[in-house]
Amino acid sequence: MKIYFAGSIRGGRDDREFYGEIIELLKGYGEVLTEHIGDKTLSALGEDGLTDKDIYERDMAWLEAADAVVAEVTTPSLGVGYEIAKAEVNKPVLCLYREQEGRRLSAMIGGSRVRVERYQNIQDVEKIVKDFLASVY
């Protein structure tokens, strides 16, 4: 199984360590096409050496190749929202959201057809991911 993991880059990297934990968990189910999202050295400035067009074309090819999409949506990101919108047309999509005081999940995600699961820790994510992937494959 090929899994596309989406998480904020230019929208903010506050959760980058947690992205790495989720990616390691997902690797137990298949190939994670977007492992670089969890790279601790990747800053909110994004990747060096690639143009925006290069990144777009690469990521859209990965999204097309993926069997499922898992997105961590706690940190709002235009790019992640775009990826979810593209994927929800023909792929199973799981959005993971960690509730925080003073913040709310975007209505465009919460009201969409994608599966949204709230969590507090990696143990919650383990169960959610297992249930999600079992339900789609």
Side-chain angles (χ1 to χ4, degrees):
M1 175 184 310
K2 293 181 181 182
I3 303 167
Y4 188 100
F5 176 75
S8 177
I9 296 177
R10 293 184 185 177
R13 296 292 290 158
D14 293 345
D15 291 325
R16 71 178 161 254
E17 288 189 31
F18 201 70
Y19 297 162
E21 291 182 49
I22 296 171
I23 289 165
E24 286 304 310
L25 174 71
L26 292 173
K27 286 165 71 175
Y29 294 93
E31 178 186 1
V32 179
L33 302 172
T34 52
E35 281 191 60
H36 68 287
I37 303 297
D39 183 345
K40 293 176 185 175
T41 64
L42 185 61
S43 76
L45 296 176
E47 298 174 67
D48 292 330
L50 295 173
T51 67
D52 288 352
K53 184 176 170 110
D54 292 337
I55 292 168
Y56 173 84
E57 289 175 354
R58 179 201 62 197
D59 289 6
M60 289 300 101
W62 281 340
L63 192 59
E64 181 62 32
D67 298 305
V69 175
V70 175
E72 207 297 339
V73 297
T74 303
T75 299
S77 166
L78 291 171
V80 172
Y82 184 87
E83 292 163 333
I84 292 167
K86 292 288 276 187
E88 84 167 322
V89 173
N90 61 0
K91 301 202 183 285
V93 178
L94 169 64
C95 292
L96 300 167
Y97 179 69
R98 193 177 63 258
E99 292 183 334
Q100 297 176 344
E101 189 172 328
R103 295 178 97 174
R104 291 176 66 185
L105 177 65
S106 167
M108 294 304 292
I109 299 301
S112 71
R113 296 178 297 197
V114 303
R115 182 169 168 179
V116 176
E117 296 285 347
R118 286 161 170 74
Y119 73 95
Q120 293 300 317
N121 53 49
I122 194 67
Q123 292 78 22
D124 294 342
V125 173
E126 287 178 33
K127 180 180 181 334
I128 292 165
V129 165
K130 181 179 179 183
D131 292 347
F132 170 70
L133 293 176
S135 74
V136 296
Y137 296 102

